[in-house]
Amino acid sequence: GAVVSQHPSWVICKSGTSVKIECRSLDFQATTMFWYRQFPKQSLMLMATSNEGSKATYEQGVEKDKFLINHASLTLSTLTVTSAHPEDSSFYICSAPWGGWGTEAFFGQGTRLTVV
Amino acid sequence: GESVGLHLPTLSVQEGDNSIINCAYSNSASDYFIWYKQESGKGPQFIIDIRSNMDKRQGQRVTVLLNKTVKHLSLQIAATQPGDSAVYFCAVQYSGNTPLVFGKGTRLSVIA
């Protein structure tokens, strides 16, 4: 099946610094990718929809200036957590539908972000 | 909008028994449904999907049933194995350009 690779798998950073997370579709092109956040023992919450060549669409309550999304190519989307704070510590996961909307979405391995 | 819920937060089954995980959704126009398995510290893994024009679909040891009348989705796992222990999420997509909405998840524990 299609593969989505996410990097890094975990990262620890100091408060106030920025962290970049990469999401790559390895064997297919993804014009759309999704970014989710998952807190312990909770479900996945959609943060934003990343669109290749255009601005991301953010869900209500997600700060677009804090969570910068760039989808510069058909195989790569990046999420940058700017000026990270301890409350940003979470599990961040990306996904991409292999055939566009309405097709099964493959997920990356997730990135565990810990802000100290 | 769409909201999705799970009937049971935890489920414990004996190894070899069948497991049934349920999910309810609210939007009758929902078009696409997926079941995912998530192990600790990993991203969700696709198990099986079904579209609204079907009411049953089978995979290897898994069956998804869709009842559009009552807006209910279930995942059946046959001969449950210890490796099936994980959290299972249903995800629903409303017809059109909308992303998946995930249910709260059910933790399946298999007792050897």
Side-chain angles (χ1 to χ4, degrees):
Chain A
V3 178
V4 175
S5 177
Q6 195 171 333
H7 177 81
S9 57
W10 62 271
V11 58
I12 301 173
C13 71
K14 292 184 178 181
S15 288
T17 61
S18 296
V19 173
K20 180 185 285 188
I21 302 170
E22 293 186 348
C23 181
R24 295 181 184 273
S25 56
L26 296 186
D27 52 0
F28 66 101
Q29 294 182 330
T31 56
T32 302
M33 293 185 178
F34 303 105
W35 287 96
Y36 296 83
R37 181 167 51 184
Q38 186 179 33
F39 292 107
K41 298 184 179 181
Q42 294 188 21
S43 188
L44 284 74
M45 293 300 296
L46 180 68
M47 297 176 66
T49 301
S50 175
N51 304 297
E52 188 270 334
S54 64
K55 292 183 179 180
T57 304
Y58 290 83
E59 294 300 298
Q60 190 173 7
V62 178
E63 301 174 58
K64 62 180 181 180
D65 294 330
K66 181 169 185 61
F67 299 99
L68 301 179
I69 292 173
N70 184 281
H71 195 150
S73 78
L74 287 170
T75 59
L76 174 64
S77 175
T78 61
L79 169 68
T80 301
V81 183
T82 63
S83 187
H85 291 285
E87 56 264 33
D88 298 324
S89 298
S90 187
F91 193 53
Y92 292 87
I93 314 171
C94 69
S95 76
W98 67 267
W101 291 102
T103 57
E104 61 185 85
F106 291 95
F107 283 80
Q109 308 94 313
T111 297
R112 172 72 59 193
L113 171 63
T114 302
V115 184
V116 298
Chain B
E2 179 63 80
S3 66
V4 184
L6 272 294
H7 290 302
L8 292 173
T10 60
L11 176 65
S12 295
V13 298
Q14 288 289 138
E15 181 179 359
D17 287 353
N18 296 334
S19 303
I20 299 177
I21 300 172
N22 296 303
C23 179
Y25 61 96
S26 61
N27 193 326
S28 59
S30 297
D31 180 58
Y32 184 52
F33 308 84
I34 309 177
W35 280 101
Y36 288 97
K37 172 185 180 182
Q38 187 180 30
E39 297 175 315
S40 181
K42 297 183 179 179
Q45 176 186 357
F46 172 88
I47 300 174
I48 191 168
D49 61 357
I50 189 169
R51 294 194 178 277
S52 60
N53 61 351
M54 302 174 69
D55 53 21
K56 180 179 180 179
R57 193 165 186 222
Q58 289 184 290
Q60 188 176 14
R61 284 201 306 121
V62 294
T63 300
V64 55
L65 298 177
L66 176 63
N67 186 330
K68 294 181 288 293
T69 301
V70 296
K71 292 179 283 188
H72 183 269
L73 186 72
S74 68
L75 175 69
Q76 300 179 3
I77 304 174
T80 311
Q81 303 169 359
D84 295 327
S85 294
V87 177
Y88 289 81
F89 292 97
C90 65
V92 177
Q93 185 180 45
Y94 176 63
S95 180
N97 288 345
T98 57
L100 294 171
V101 176
F102 281 79
K104 293 182 173 61
T106 293
R107 178 172 295 282
L108 175 64
S109 295
V110 181
I111 304 167

